């Protein structure tokens, strides 16, 4: 087997010998007696060396200097370094970690721990390398997200007092450009914009493109920005030779506080850019307090969402759908409302977009599906005639590999015929990632679900793809075409879409129908169904029960027997970004306090005094906990016992655990064998704790990413 190569740097021969003894079975060891020799070896073998174990105090050139030089050299900066020093020395540890070392070990070496750490670091780096092969975005030649953030971080850490501004640019209606001119044409536009941005950001030469049409760049700080400053290059953007105005929106974020996480800075610049969207007389927007307010509102939503589910604050309303010919109720859409004890009723527009961003939507949607099934069961048991209920399926649900299993399980739990639940999937989901989405939707349809394409007409490209889509019903929002002058004429868009649908054998539901005239026109165009305030507003369970009672009892046909697929594994829900919890388990308060301080602002921290309490918390919150800091010696249930429970329960077995005890090597080894991921010993240094936790978390994320990709 090919052995990886490690460079060991130490001025004391016996240390090098010790490393050789510990590592020789697994690695080839190159040796250097001082920093200078090390750099020579490194620069000749950059690609061949998997990691460096670096002594700090050495003659000729010390470890710090090696670290700084490595960091400045692109090829060397990606090689993981473990710094070693004699005895506990926090200053040295902090300084070397801040210079880019990944980890720190104390001499004399503890063989197993060194092997474990080294192995982990190499694995982490190599997996990361697979995912980040390139630092440049192929289309524009700008940095990709990861490298942009790295470059910005280096710039901010260079110790200079200079101020910078972060600019974010988005392209208006980029999907439309892509659709009209093809991906190739779209790419050319992106390339063109990239070059203009690069010229504008030439001072530091740090520009990147993240998602499809989002660009970022660094400008020297300016107190004042004016339209005149943006006009020339916005004109340049428009110089691209296509038959369409290319408009961009711009946001600026002043980097006044360099300790704000880079990702948050980019988010803020993006928020500012979004504020500038569609505003053609204002050429830019600077991140300010109104955005902050919006963020605070978002924060309110995010920090209250779980409680809201737990306390049943979400209610499902039903809005009936009518047959235009008979004017009978033939179905209903389930629409969620948040009834907050202080704020009153909150409408979906205020929270759904946030939940879609933070992932909570999958939880909420399942809650809504379950409530709809439960309500259907209650009506059926009471002998009340029921109609099919359409539930909304967000695109995040479709990316959730457990979605189909969970949905079937819910439906099965209440014994609801599959044909009683229809699925509404927004058109833009189909256009965003057709292949993946379409295959999931096709599966759902093959299972027997009726699929309704929601908000038809809001996207761009579905018209030509419609024939190949797994769809049964088009939902057409009157709101989207209200401005059309010919709305109500059969020659207008509406008439066209309805005839297209007929031709494709699809039925059409017009929604947002508010007037008698619309009803008459829709009927004349042979539209099948309508939903809207004209007939009924969304209503709560009691009111909708009354509507159902007025229906004649219909024969229940099409009963479909369904069984949950026993092979489908049930796993915890995906975690939303903003509710990542670090669980700290320690019986000594001061330890808990110090450990907590390392994560302030970045994670939510839960503290427990013993294994028992921690386990109780984990049982209820396993899906939120992203990492556990665990003391080994505690009363009631000690760290080993808890660790054993964590690793043997499917809900918790994949949560990273870092041991915080200062036991002897045997304790550490025992815990590692039981599945702990790393160690931190006392006295605790927040920076080091953070670093270790980030390493461990990154490893898990990569693992998950790999698993996802493997599917
Ligand atoms: P949607 O799925 O297109 O739902 C139709 C929206 O139009 C509903 O707004 C409904 O109350 C409103 N509406 C119905 N009739 C009329 C009318 O005649 N005129 C006007 N102007 N509006 C009418 P709502 O309930 O506020 O929901 C807004 C959006 O939030 C929904 O749009 C849907 O995208 C999302 N949503 C609501 N509930 C859920 C849910 O449980 N899960 C998911 N993923 N999304 C949901
Ligand atoms: Ca809908
Ligand atoms: Ca809709």
């Amino acid at each position: 087997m090919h052995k990886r190569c490690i460079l060991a740097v130490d001025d004391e021969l016996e240390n090098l010998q010790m490393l050789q003894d510990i590592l020789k079975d697994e690695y080839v060891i190159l040796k250097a007696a001082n920093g200078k020799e090390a750099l020579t070896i490194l620069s000749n073998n950059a690609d061949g060396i998997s990691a460096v174990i670096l002594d700090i105090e050495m003659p000729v050139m010390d470890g710090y200097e090696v670290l700084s030089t490595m960091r400045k050299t692109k090829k060397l900066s990606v090689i993981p370094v473990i710094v070693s020093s004699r005895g506990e020395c926090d200053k040295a540890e902090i300084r070397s970690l801040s210079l880019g070392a990944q980890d720190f070990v104390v001499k004399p070496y503890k063989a197993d721990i060194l092997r474990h750490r080294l192995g982990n670091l190499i694995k982490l780096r190599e997996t990361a390398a697979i995912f980040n092969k390139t630092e440049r975005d192929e289309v524009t030649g700008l940095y990709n997200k990861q490298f942009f953030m790295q470059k910005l971080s280096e710039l901010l850490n260079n110790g200079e007092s200079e101020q910078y501004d972060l600019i974010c640019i988005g392209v208006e209606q980029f999907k439309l450009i892509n659709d009209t001119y093809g991906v190739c044409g779209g790419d050319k536009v992106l390339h063109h914009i990239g070059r203009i941005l690069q010229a504008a950001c030439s001072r530091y030469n740090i520009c990147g493109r993240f998602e499809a049409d989002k660009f970022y760049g660094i400008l020297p700080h300016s107190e004042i920005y004016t339209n005149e400053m943006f006009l020339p290059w916005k004109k340049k953007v428009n110089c691209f030779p296509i038959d369409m105005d290319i408009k961009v929106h711009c946001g600026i974020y002043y980097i006044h506080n360099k300790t704000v996480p880079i990702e948050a800075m980019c988010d803020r610049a993006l928020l500012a850019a979004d504020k500038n969207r569609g505003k053609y007389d204002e050429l830019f927007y600077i991140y300010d307090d109104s955005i902050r307010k919006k963020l605070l509102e978002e924060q309110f939503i995010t920090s209250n969402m779980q409680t809201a589910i737990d306390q049943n604050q979400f209610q499902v309303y039903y809005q009936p759908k009518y047959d235009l010919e008979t004017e009978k109720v033939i179905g209903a859409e389930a629409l969620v409302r948040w009834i907050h004890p202080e704020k009153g009723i909150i409408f979906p527009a205020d929270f759904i977009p946030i939940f879609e961003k933070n992932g909570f939507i999958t939880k909420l949607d399942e809650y809504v599906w379950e409530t709809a099934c439960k309500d259907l069961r209650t009506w059926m048991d009471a002998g009340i005639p029921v109609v099919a209920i359409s539930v909304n399926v967000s695109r995040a649900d479709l990316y959730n590999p457990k979605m189909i299993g969970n949905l079937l399980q819910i439906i099965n739990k209440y014994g609801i015929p599959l044909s009683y639940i229809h699925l509404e999937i927004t058109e833009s989901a189909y256009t965003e990632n057709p292949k993946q989405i379409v295959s999931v939707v096709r599966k759902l349809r093959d299972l027997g679900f009726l699929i309704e394409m929601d908000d038809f007409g809001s996207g761009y490209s579905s018209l030509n793809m419609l024939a190949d889509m797994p769809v049964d019903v088009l939902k057409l929002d009157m709101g989207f075409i209200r401005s059309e002058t010919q709305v109500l004429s059969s020659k207008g868009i509406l008439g066209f879409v309805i005839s297209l649908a007929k031709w494709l054998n699809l039925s059409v539901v017009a929604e947002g129908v508010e007037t008698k005239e619309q009803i008459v026109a829709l009927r004349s165009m042979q539209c099948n169904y309508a939903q809207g305030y004209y007939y009924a507003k969304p209503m709560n369970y009691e009111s909708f029960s009354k509507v159902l009672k007025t229906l004649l009892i219909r024969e229940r046909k099409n009963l479909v027997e369904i069984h949950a697929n026993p092979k489908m594994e049930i796993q915890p829900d995906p975690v939303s970004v903003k509710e990542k919890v670090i669980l700290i388990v320690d019986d000594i308060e001061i330890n808990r306090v110090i450990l907590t301080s390392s994560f302030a602002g970045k994670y939510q921290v839960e503290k427990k005094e013993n294994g028992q309490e921690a386990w109780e918390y984990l049982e209820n919150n396993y899906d939120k906990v992203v990492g556990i800091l665990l003391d080994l010696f505690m009363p009631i249930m000690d760290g080993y016992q808890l660790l054993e429970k964590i690793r043997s329960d499917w809900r918790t077995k994949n949560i990273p655990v870092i041991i915080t005890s200062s036991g002897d090597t045997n304790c550490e080894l025992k815990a590692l064998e039981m599945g702990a991921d790393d160690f931190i010993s006392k006295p605790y240094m927040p920076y080091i704790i953070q670093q270790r936790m980030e390493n461990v978390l990154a490893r898990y994320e990569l693992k998950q990413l790999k698993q996802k990709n493997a599917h």
Side-chain angles (χ1 to χ4, degrees):
M1 200 188 80
H2 164 74
K3 278 188 184 174
R4 290 181 177 79
C5 188
I6 304 290
L7 173 62
V9 193
D10 205 308
D11 56 321
E12 286 173 54
L13 251 174
E14 59 268 37
N15 283 332
L16 288 176
Q17 193 53 48
M18 206 190 301
L19 284 174
Q20 167 95 24
D21 291 344
I22 295 174
L23 302 172
K24 65 171 187 276
D25 288 345
E26 277 173 87
Y27 304 96
V28 175
I29 315 290
L30 300 178
K31 296 183 199 127
N34 61 56
K36 207 157 173 215
E37 276 183 24
L39 284 178
T40 314
I41 297 177
L42 275 168
S43 44
N44 294 332
N45 301 282
D47 294 329
I49 293 175
S50 295
V52 179
I53 300 172
L54 179 67
D55 183 27
I56 284 294
E57 283 166 21
M58 290 179 297
V60 190
M61 183 194 280
D62 69 8
Y64 297 128
E65 215 177 322
V66 176
L67 278 172
S68 328
T69 315
M70 283 182 74
R71 213 171 105 161
K72 282 187 213 130
T73 322
K74 206 181 87 193
K75 260 184 144 173
L76 304 185
S77 65
V78 294
I79 303 177
V81 179
I82 297 184
V83 163
S84 67
S85 92
R86 189 165 292 286
E88 302 276 349
C89 177
D90 300 324
K91 267 203 192 126
E93 185 163 1
I94 292 180
R95 185 163 166 211
S96 36
L97 288 176
S98 70
L99 278 171
Q102 271 73 26
D103 215 331
F104 196 90
V105 290
V106 173
K107 283 182 272 195
Y109 300 113
K110 296 172 184 168
D112 288 290
I113 294 185
L114 179 67
R115 270 192 225 115
H116 178 80
R117 291 226 170 114
L118 190 63
N120 272 343
L121 271 182
I122 293 175
K123 225 184 295 161
L124 174 63
R125 183 229 157 169
E126 289 178 356
T127 331
I130 298 170
F131 285 96
N132 309 308
K133 255 196 221 119
T134 51
E135 60 179 58
R136 297 278 173 183
D137 156 41
E138 279 178 17
V139 175
T140 60
L142 305 182
Y143 289 125
N144 61 25
K145 178 173 179 172
Q146 197 211 345
F147 273 83
F148 176 83
M149 303 220 290
Q150 190 179 319
K151 293 288 169 199
L152 176 52
S153 159
E154 284 166 14
L155 180 74
L156 298 180
N157 286 330
N158 66 5
E160 284 166 29
S161 60
E162 222 169 319
Q163 294 280 324
Y164 313 95
D165 297 342
L166 172 61
I167 182 170
C168 169
I169 293 176
V171 185
E172 305 262 318
Q173 302 210 315
F174 182 64
K175 271 214 160 79
L176 187 59
I177 298 178
N178 242 350
D179 247 38
T180 319
Y181 298 97
V183 174
C184 201
D187 281 356
K188 283 187 185 146
V189 171
L190 293 175
H191 181 79
H192 170 70
I193 295 174
R195 288 189 46 184
I196 294 167
L197 179 68
Q198 207 159 24
C201 298
S202 59
R203 170 82 169 267
Y204 306 108
N205 230 340
I206 303 181
C207 299
R209 183 176 76 112
F210 294 10
E211 300 110 59
D213 61 332
K214 299 286 180 292
F215 294 84
Y216 295 80
I218 301 300
L219 299 169
H221 174 62
S222 157
E223 268 313 318
I224 299 171
Y225 284 93
T226 62
N227 273 350
E228 286 69 40
M229 292 161 79
F230 284 83
L231 204 56
W233 71 264
K234 283 219 176 179
K235 272 194 183 142
K236 257 191 234 155
V237 167
N238 228 334
C239 271
F240 195 71
I242 55 171
D243 250 3
M244 193 187 280
D245 253 3
I246 305 174
K247 293 213 165 73
V248 292
H249 40 270
C250 292
I252 306 263
Y253 172 71
Y254 290 148
I255 307 181
H256 283 327
N257 178 357
K258 293 182 184 172
T259 63
V260 172
I262 305 256
E263 187 123 25
M265 294 182 185
C266 295
D267 278 352
R268 290 176 188 183
L270 175 64
L271 283 169
D274 276 340
K275 272 277 230 195
N276 184 233
R277 192 189 286 273
K279 303 221 168 63
Y280 300 127
D281 43 351
E282 294 158 34
L283 301 188
F284 62 95
Y285 193 96
I286 294 178
Y287 178 86
D288 66 4
D289 270 358
S290 71
I291 296 184
R292 225 185 106 71
K293 209 174 132 224
K294 198 176 148 219
L295 281 180
L296 286 177
E297 280 165 15
E298 273 197 40
Q299 222 163 40
F300 172 86
I301 301 265
T302 318
S303 45
N304 286 282
M305 60 195 187
Q306 187 57 46
T307 324
I309 281 231
D310 297 340
Q311 301 182 349
N312 291 323
Q313 290 172 11
F314 290 109
Q315 286 195 10
V316 176
Y317 276 43
Y318 296 95
Q319 184 177 36
K321 296 177 178 175
Y322 291 77
D323 185 319
L324 272 167
E325 209 174 306
T326 62
E327 302 219 298
K328 291 236 168 71
V329 178
I330 47 84
E333 176 174 7
L335 292 159
V336 70
R337 301 287 178 262
W338 182 347
I339 319 285
H340 190 269
E342 283 136 40
K343 294 197 165 224
I345 187 161
I346 310 175
F347 283 90
D350 293 330
F351 56 86
I352 297 275
I354 299 172
F355 292 174
E356 280 174 342
K357 256 196 297 184
N358 67 20
F360 194 70
I361 191 69
T362 49
K363 239 184 196 176
L364 177 71
D365 277 346
E366 283 180 12
Y367 178 87
V368 172
W369 305 340
E370 171 142 19
T371 311
C373 288
K374 203 195 299 170
D375 289 351
L376 274 168
R377 174 47 51 205
T378 316
W379 291 317
M380 282 152 77
D381 287 348
I384 298 171
V386 292
V387 291
I389 303 292
S390 305
V391 296
N392 286 286
V393 176
S394 151
R395 83 194 65 202
D397 300 327
L398 299 171
Y399 287 115
N400 173 5
K402 286 155 270 159
M403 181 255 174
I404 297 184
N406 292 357
L407 177 60
L408 288 177
Q409 206 195 21
I410 291 170
I411 291 180
N412 210 29
K413 179 170 162 195
Y414 295 93
I416 305 299
L418 217 76
S419 56
Y420 285 19
I421 297 289
H422 297 181
L423 306 177
E424 292 195 7
I425 297 163
T426 180
E427 182 203 347
S428 55
Y430 286 86
T431 49
E432 183 183 87
N433 182 353
K435 269 209 194 105
Q436 173 163 7
I437 300 265
V438 170
S439 84
V440 179
V441 178
R442 183 158 288 134
K443 252 186 228 155
L444 286 163
R445 189 163 179 254
D446 290 346
L447 280 166
F449 288 105
L450 191 120
I451 309 292
E452 307 188 24
M453 190 188 264
D454 203 356
D455 307 326
F456 184 75
S458 65
Y460 299 106
S461 50
S462 344
L463 223 60
N464 47 2
M465 311 189 322
L466 209 53
D468 304 322
M469 292 286 183
V471 177
D472 304 283
V473 178
L474 292 187
K475 286 196 86 177
L476 202 64
D477 195 318
M478 301 298 281
F480 293 138
I481 39 182
R482 207 160 281 155
S483 57
E484 261 278 309
T485 44
Q486 290 178 313
V487 165
L488 303 177
S489 126
S490 57
K491 292 192 193 76
I493 284 195
L494 194 58
F496 171 68
V497 170
I498 292 174
S499 42
L500 180 84
K502 296 267 138 164
W503 184 62
L504 292 169
N505 262 337
L506 304 172
S507 21
V508 177
V509 180
E511 66 175 330
V513 178
E514 291 181 345
T515 65
K516 179 83 191 165
E517 291 78 53
Q518 288 174 330
I519 296 284
V520 174
L522 287 165
R523 213 176 266 142
S524 75
M525 293 174 215
Q526 265 101 56
C527 177
N528 312 81
Y529 311 109
Q531 172 189 348
Y533 296 170
Y534 175 78
Y535 284 119
K537 289 199 166 175
M539 57 189 86
N540 64 15
Y541 170 81
E542 284 76 24
S543 308
F544 188 61
S545 301
K546 284 185 194 142
V547 172
L548 286 178
K549 281 180 196 157
T550 64
L551 293 174
L552 285 171
I553 302 204
R554 301 177 311 164
E555 248 194 302
R556 289 185 200 165
K557 25 183 190 182
N558 297 335
L559 269 177
V560 186
E561 287 287 327
I562 41 162
H563 303 282
N565 184 346
K567 269 182 276 170
M568 252 173 253
E569 197 186 341
I570 305 155
Q571 286 166 4
D573 290 327
V575 188
S576 76
V577 185
K578 286 184 190 154
E579 46 160 20
K580 290 180 176 172
V581 173
I582 301 279
L583 176 61
I584 294 174
V585 195
D586 201 311
D587 56 327
I588 298 166
E589 191 186 359
I590 183 72
N591 289 342
R592 294 196 298 268
V593 172
I594 299 174
L595 291 169
T596 303
S597 68
S598 308
F599 300 105
K602 248 192 131 172
Y603 297 94
Q604 196 181 313
V605 177
E606 269 303 321
K607 289 165 279 190
K608 299 291 169 217
E609 290 178 30
N610 59 59
Q612 178 100 40
E613 276 183 20
W615 182 245
E616 274 162 24
Y617 176 80
L618 274 170
E619 283 199 295
N620 292 315
N621 300 282
Y622 58 89
D623 51 348
K624 284 193 240 162
V625 178
V626 295
I628 301 171
L629 293 174
L630 180 61
D631 183 24
L632 286 177
F633 310 108
M634 292 176 295
I636 309 192
M637 185 196 287
D638 72 14
Y640 294 119
Q641 287 168 300
L642 180 59
L643 184 58
E644 195 180 341
K645 266 185 171 312
I646 290 173
R647 284 294 173 255
S648 52
D649 190 299
W650 64 272
R651 294 169 298 185
T652 50
K653 69 172 189 226
N654 287 325
I655 303 177
V657 176
I658 295 183
I659 302 296
T660 54
S661 226
S662 52
D664 57 19
T665 314
N666 286 339
C667 302
E668 297 186 356
L669 270 183
K670 183 171 167 199
L672 285 180
E673 273 160 18
M674 288 174 66
D677 293 273
D678 209 342
F679 272 95
I680 305 169
S681 46
K682 290 168 196 160
Y684 299 136
M685 306 301 297
Y687 189 86
I688 293 162
I689 298 171
Q690 273 172 25
Q691 182 83 20
R692 290 251 152 95
M693 184 53 99
E694 292 302 337
N695 277 347
V696 169
L697 291 184
R699 228 155 41 219
Y700 271 82
E701 266 169 34
L702 280 169
K703 209 163 105 189
Q704 282 180 341
L705 208 62
K706 256 181 129 178
Q707 277 168 358
K708 238 195 249 162
N709 279 14
H711 279 170

